[in-house]
Amino acid sequence: MKIAARTGTVVAQTAAGRVAGTREGGLAVFRGVPYAAPPVGPLRFASPRPPLPWTGVRDATRFSPPFVQSGAPESAEDALYANIWTPDPAGSRPVLVYVHGGAWQVGSGSVPTFDGARPAARGDLVVINFNYRLGAFGWGLHDDLADPDTGHLANWGLQDQIALVRWVHENIAAFGGDPDDLTLCGTSAGGASVWQMTHLPQTRDLVRRIIPISAAHPRQPAFGLTPDDSRTVYRALAARFGTDVRGLRAVPAADLHTAWLDVFSGDPDRRLVASGREYRGPVLDGRLVTAFAGELPPPRVPVLSAYCATEGSFFTDPLSPSYPPAPPAPTDEAGLRAAVHQVLAKTAAKVPEALAAECVAAYRAAARAEGLAADPRTLWTEVWGDALFRHRIVRLAQQHARTADAGPLWLMEFAHPVREPSYGTPHDATSKFLFGSYGAERNVRQFGDGPLERRVSDTFIDLVASFVHRGAPAAPGVPDWPVYTRGTPSTLILGGPGIARVAATRKQAQLRFWDALPTAA
């Protein structure tokens, strides 16, 4: 594949046609490169098709719209595009593909937080991010939506991610990337996706290593619909629009999006279905998704797994851009029990009344034993973060360490604190430092922009880059970081004035509460 350069312009030849990007700060940057055909009309709810070929040179200097979502009036279905930052299109560098999070319902590769320039330049990497189908269009199941060519009838967003990985493997050499040296990285929903793709026959042989960050590993009823509930929802949507399920392909996208959100609004106990209580992610379809993390064997590739010190503060801090917005924090014991009950209700269809009090008592005792804060807001925050994220992430790391044929796993706790009046280290704080976007306009108030933030960011990028280049994380000023072993000092704590230290995994007593609950296991 040939590369042509003009002043300020770089042209790359993909399988579908030539694209023209720009030179920016020593990098070549390509935005809005199609990796699949627009999933519109008859291709709504279809498996992704290859991008339509074009003649001439296609402009690749502007981001595509985000996929259909709330809060983004410019969003659209025609959004299956990739963005690429490369130090040298004529080179052959390791490739880092980032899968954005957003609860499988919001987010895009064009969000300024995920600008790939900093890790591409400092890490000497080809960095890629992209959009995939969300919400009703990306994460459901119905037999009447089966693709006549592939037979797939569910999880269209995951199918898009598979298509992107295969597109990268086939095309990335034109952008200076090594197609045989691909690392997948993702946060939250994206972190769960990269874990899943190590098990899929379409992608597992293409992925060299993975970096799941704050992975929102799907489970029912919290993070996914059951197949029967999914069928029920699509039938209800069809009835609302006076059509059958196949006819949903003709419903205006904005109307279908709004109707989907309506189904899952309000008290989870009063909804049409019992699953999908918090977010609607992958569905067990028996074809692509046959089991969830914990039921699948650990990945056989190297893993750098990370979580945030207080995952829950993303959801309990009114200044965080959480979706939906944070509710008021509890201020007394009764309010704390009620707030904790609401968290428990995200993970189970039925929650015994006494369970919230048991949870509060366990967390308060653990906090006092460790000299940690035990006020209502802090306890509520810890419960939220552990129930939805930290418990599963740590337990999967421990399962990984016990499995003989698993790849090596390094475990990180990202603990760089945000600025007051925000608090803790919230879910998705990591992306601001991995991409060096902590000082961006939308982030600086919460994350700051000083020499310490720069050092933490540089260290994070160096750790990731060394993992991508050599298969093991290391960075200047970071102590030797051993492969994770349960019960020994092998978790890297990153952030704060000391930058990095290795310690035993913190706050283990809190996690033991969830071990006895099958709904959170």
Side-chain angles (χ1 to χ4, degrees):
M1 295 182 177
K2 295 182 179 180
I3 302 293
R6 300 192 299 271
T7 302
T9 301
V10 185
V11 178
Q13 177 74 53
T14 74
R18 292 185 295 167
V19 292
T22 59
R23 294 191 180 278
E24 302 175 12
L27 300 173
V29 183
F30 299 82
R31 298 178 175 91
V33 179
Y35 71 87
V40 298
L43 293 184
R44 181 187 287 177
F45 304 121
S47 298
R49 302 303 198 259
L52 302 174
W54 60 87
T55 59
V57 180
R58 181 185 182 112
D59 179 75
T61 62
R62 294 186 296 273
F63 289 116
S64 72
F67 195 83
V68 177
Q69 59 192 270
S70 299
E74 75 281 15
S75 63
E77 280 188 276
D78 182 4
L80 302 188
Y81 298 86
N83 312 300
I84 304 154
W85 291 260
T86 177
D88 180 5
S92 183
R93 287 168 167 78
V95 180
L96 179 68
V97 172
Y98 184 77
V99 186
H100 74 76
W104 300 279
Q105 59 187 344
V106 297
S108 74
S110 57
V111 173
T113 292
F114 308 137
D115 187 291
R118 184 84 174 275
R122 183 174 180 87
D124 196 31
L125 304 170
V126 176
V127 177
I128 302 168
N129 68 31
F130 64 103
N131 301 338
Y132 54 89
R133 280 176 279 186
L134 303 170
F137 309 88
W139 303 98
L141 174 152
H142 199 282
D143 311 78
D144 290 348
L145 300 176
D147 188 297
D149 294 342
T150 67
H152 291 307
L153 47 80
N155 297 313
W156 304 282
L158 181 60
Q159 293 186 59
D160 293 342
Q161 295 170 4
I162 294 168
L164 180 281
V165 170
R166 298 183 68 85
W167 182 90
V168 168
H169 184 72
E170 295 165 4
N171 291 274
I172 201 58
F175 300 91
D178 181 349
D180 297 318
D181 197 357
L182 174 60
T183 299
L184 296 186
C185 176
T187 304
S188 196
S193 295
V194 304
W195 190 283
Q196 193 78 34
M197 280 192 277
T198 64
H199 294 90
L200 298 177
Q202 299 93 329
T203 50
R204 64 189 175 206
D205 294 334
L206 305 180
V207 178
R208 182 75 67 87
R209 57 194 75 80
I210 61 171
I211 307 173
I213 302 174
S214 298
H217 290 295
R219 62 183 181 273
Q220 296 154 354
F223 283 176
L225 294 168
T226 66
D228 283 346
D229 279 357
S230 186
R231 294 182 180 101
T232 296
V233 170
Y234 282 104
R235 285 196 300 268
L237 293 173
R240 174 170 174 163
F241 292 108
T243 185
D244 58 18
V245 171
R246 294 182 183 90
L248 290 173
R249 291 189 173 97
V251 174
D255 294 344
L256 182 56
H257 171 68
T258 299
W260 173 267
L261 295 181
D262 287 346
V263 170
F264 299 104
S265 63
D267 185 346
D269 291 335
R270 300 177 183 273
R271 293 179 188 166
L272 176 66
V273 294
S275 60
R277 295 177 75 83
E278 180 66 1
Y279 301 122
R280 273 64 63 190
V283 182
L284 291 169
D285 59 11
R287 294 174 62 92
L288 285 178
V289 183
T290 59
F292 293 140
E295 300 162 342
L296 293 166
R300 296 186 177 184
V301 298
V303 179
L304 197 169
S305 178
Y307 62 89
C308 290
T310 55
E311 292 277 350
S313 58
F314 181 84
F315 305 91
T316 61
D317 178 2
L319 295 181
S320 286
S322 62
Y323 182 83
T331 58
D332 56 25
E333 193 68 15
L336 174 59
R337 287 196 299 270
V340 168
H341 189 276
Q342 290 180 337
V343 174
L344 293 167
K346 300 174 186 298
T347 67
K350 293 184 179 180
V351 179
E353 286 297 324
L355 191 60
E358 294 175 18
C359 184
V360 169
Y363 267 72
R364 179 174 285 120
R368 288 175 173 167
E370 297 170 24
L372 302 175
D375 60 281
R377 184 183 72 167
T378 297
L379 294 181
W380 176 55
T381 295
E382 294 284 355
V383 168
W384 198 317
D386 290 353
L388 272 63
F389 301 100
R390 195 172 70 93
H391 175 262
R392 177 65 63 92
I393 292 166
V394 172
R395 292 297 184 250
L396 284 175
Q398 293 168 344
Q399 177 190 1
H400 206 105
R402 294 193 300 267
T403 305
D405 62 346
L409 181 144
W410 289 265
L411 186 64
M412 174 195 294
E413 177 184 309
F414 187 74
H416 194 67
V418 295
R419 289 184 167 188
E420 294 182 351
S422 293
Y423 60 96
T425 307
H427 182 72
D428 198 36
T430 46
S431 61
K432 287 75 177 177
F433 293 84
L434 175 58
F435 289 95
S437 56
Y438 51 87
E441 182 179 0
R442 64 188 293 154
N443 298 329
V444 68
R445 178 184 177 192
Q446 191 172 18
F447 294 94
D449 185 14
L452 180 58
E453 283 70 38
R454 179 66 179 243
R455 288 181 61 202
V456 171
S457 178
D458 287 350
T459 301
F460 197 175
I461 293 171
D462 291 346
L463 289 166
V464 166
S466 64
F467 178 71
V468 172
H469 278 278
R470 294 179 290 278
V478 174
D480 181 53
W481 182 9
V483 170
Y484 179 75
T485 304
R486 183 174 185 174
T488 63
S490 53
T491 299
L492 184 74
I493 313 298
L494 178 63
I499 306 298
R501 62 186 177 90
V502 173
T505 308
R506 301 194 294 183
K507 296 186 290 188
Q508 290 277 14
Q510 289 85 336
L511 299 185
R512 287 194 283 272
F513 171 82
W514 304 99
D515 290 335
L517 302 180
T519 56

